Structure formats: structure tokens, C-alpha cells
Amino acid sequence: VTGNINNSTLLLQTGGTERVRIDSSGRVLIGTTTEGVHTADDLTIAAANGVTGITLRSGTGNAGNLYFSDGTSGDAEYRGYLQYYHADDSMRVGTAANERVRITSGGQIGIGINNPERLIHLSSSNTIIALTDTVASTDQKTKYILSDAGVFAVGKLSDDYNTAVEHFRIDNNGNMGLNTTSLVGNASNIYLTVNGSTTGGIALKANGTTQGYLQGTNSLVRLSSDGTKPIVFDTNGSERLRITSNGKVGVGVDPTNYPGKFVVSGDALI
């Protein structure tokens, strides 16, 4: 143990080599004479080979803890913490003196839950995941995924996160809604509700190309095909009615090559 000439630094040596230094500010340096960044320089540890570390060895079934404190009593002594609990080999992270994240021995991550059942398991009274694309347009950057009161929903948030616009939801009974939170529901055997500002519609695609539409407005319901494709109605696996792109109607027959606008196959009673 040595001190320098003005007694401002305490040195600990072994084999004639300095191992530990306590400087005039009370900072402890192990394996180095240069302190770390000023916001984290009370203890600096270095190793000549570039690999260094600290080991906390706890008893089997006990915990190893790293606490962040801003007081000397109550939960002020562990406002933030990192804990490894050997009894179940879980890692726990706490803020405001409460556990927030747990990683189980199997690698499942729980946020707001201490017994996660899946790889990532979130739990709260109103669980929301926000996904932000920083280069998107104004009020288009953030999309959210919500689970609340039996409802799963997807939508977007304004840039100040104060305004939410829901685009899609599935309620607790499996009913789905697009651009509406008011679902017709399965009491009417309606499982998908689609809403638009003036027209609610569904586009039907095949191989990435639009083939037709189902639309509803305040005055009508429209089923339409795209291009020259006909509209066909089947029952029991067989075609019963066909409407061609030029307006011909065939009942039980393709009217394309028949004269007239309305063609009926077989016995007809009108």
C-alpha cells in the first residue's frame, strides 16, 4: 500500500504492480489509472486483455441484486434494480420499485407479467404496442396493436400520440370490423362489418389483380366484376345464374352465345 507525495492518491500493489487506485475524489480504479466517463466514474474496472467483468455469486436458491437507490430507507433503496433469481433461473428488471420485465429460464420474456407463457408475453389492463416509422408522413408514423376488454384492434396514432384512429378490430366473439368500432355481431350471423365514409366495400383479388367488388352505400348494395368477367351465382356446387359483362342474364345456362338479354335453360315458370 502506497500513497503519492501529497497523499492525494492511495495505491494498492501486488508484485510491484499497481492493482487498485483511489484518487483524491474518492474514485476507485481497478486495473487502470484512467477513470471512466464523468457520469459513471466512481468505479472503473479494466483488464489488459480487453475482457473484464464483475461476478455476483449468490447462494443456490437466492438472488443476486444490483440496486439503484436515491434514498436510505423504504423502497427508495431499490427504486430501480436488476435481479437474477437462482431458484427459478429468472432475470428480473424493476423500475419505481416494481418488477416490470422478467426473462424466464426458458427465454420467455414477460412485460407486466411474471409468468410469461409465450416467447414475448405482455400484460396490462390496456395493452398497446406502438410501431413507429420515423420517415413516414405527418400523423402516419405510428401504428398500434391493442388488446383491451376482449377486443383486439389495429390502428394509427397521431404524432403527439393523443389521437387514435382504429382501422381493424376483432371482438371477443370473433366478429371483425374494418374502419368501425360498431360491429353488427353474430346475433345477426354477420361476422364481418365494413365501414367507409360514403361507401363500405370489399375488393376481391386473385394473383394480385382486382377481380370484383362488393359495395354498400346509403342507397344501394352493389356487386360488380372488373373488366369483362361475368358474375356467377352457385347453389349446392352448381351454377344457377350468370350475368355477363354486357348485361345478359342466363338461368341455368351461359347466355353469351344466345340472342336476347334473358335466357332460361329447361322448363321455365315465370
Side-chain angles (χ1 to χ4, degrees):
V1 179
T2 64
N4 68 3
I5 56 174
N6 57 10
N7 293 319
S8 63
T9 302
L10 175 65
L11 306 179
L12 301 179
Q13 298 180 345
T14 61
T17 301
E18 179 183 327
R19 306 299 184 184
V20 180
R21 171 181 294 232
I22 304 175
D23 67 13
S24 59
S25 298
R27 297 175 295 197
V28 178
L29 292 79
I30 301 175
T32 181
T33 59
T34 304
E35 70 279 0
V37 67
H38 72 281
T39 55
D41 62 355
D42 297 291
L43 173 63
T44 303
I45 302 174
N49 63 5
V51 177
T52 190
I54 299 174
T55 297
L56 303 179
R57 182 172 288 117
S58 309
T60 302
N62 298 107
N65 302 299
L66 178 61
Y67 287 161
F68 301 89
S69 169
D70 59 2
T72 57
S73 64
D75 63 20
E77 294 195 274
Y78 56 92
R79 295 300 291 169
Y81 62 82
L82 180 63
Q83 179 186 82
Y84 191 89
Y85 192 56
H86 291 280
D88 61 8
D89 280 323
S90 65
M91 180 72 77
R92 307 171 185 191
V93 181
T95 64
N98 287 283
E99 181 179 325
R100 307 299 186 184
V101 179
R102 179 175 295 199
I103 305 174
T104 70
S105 60
Q108 293 97 335
I109 300 172
I111 300 176
I113 185 171
N114 58 20
N115 57 339
E117 297 294 337
R118 295 294 183 267
L119 184 61
I120 299 178
H121 191 164
L122 283 68
S123 179
S124 74
S125 60
N126 183 9
T127 302
I128 298 177
I129 299 174
L131 307 171
T132 299
D133 176 4
T134 58
V135 300
S137 303
T138 300
D139 290 332
Q140 303 294 326
K141 296 180 178 65
T142 301
K143 304 299 185 287
Y144 69 82
I145 301 172
L146 164 72
S147 176
D148 180 37
V151 171
F152 173 83
V154 178
K156 69 176 181 179
L157 295 170
S158 59
D159 289 348
D160 60 8
Y161 299 98
N162 291 326
T163 303
V165 178
E166 183 178 308
H167 295 314
F168 171 72
R169 76 164 38 196
I170 304 176
D171 71 12
N172 213 31
N173 296 312
N175 303 310
M176 295 179 287
L178 296 175
N179 291 324
T180 181
T181 61
S182 179
L183 309 186
V184 174
N186 58 14
S188 303
N189 294 317
I190 305 298
Y191 299 98
L192 174 62
T193 304
V194 181
N195 182 57
S197 57
T198 57
T199 302
I202 300 174
L204 307 175
K205 286 191 171 186
N207 296 321
T209 302
T210 300
Q211 307 297 330
Y213 308 89
L214 177 61
Q215 299 171 312
T217 71
N218 291 333
S219 59
L220 59 83
V221 174
R222 174 180 286 116
L223 175 63
S224 59
S225 65
D226 193 63
T228 60
K229 291 176 287 295
I231 295 176
V232 177
F233 295 88
D234 289 7
T235 64
N236 198 29
S238 297
E239 180 180 323
R240 306 302 182 184
L241 177 74
R242 175 178 294 239
I243 305 174
T244 67
S245 60
N246 60 0
K248 286 187 175 184
V249 178
V251 178
V253 65
D254 182 351
T256 303
N257 296 319
Y258 288 85
K261 286 290 188 179
F262 187 74
V263 183
V264 180
S265 175
D267 296 334
L269 180 62
I270 299 178

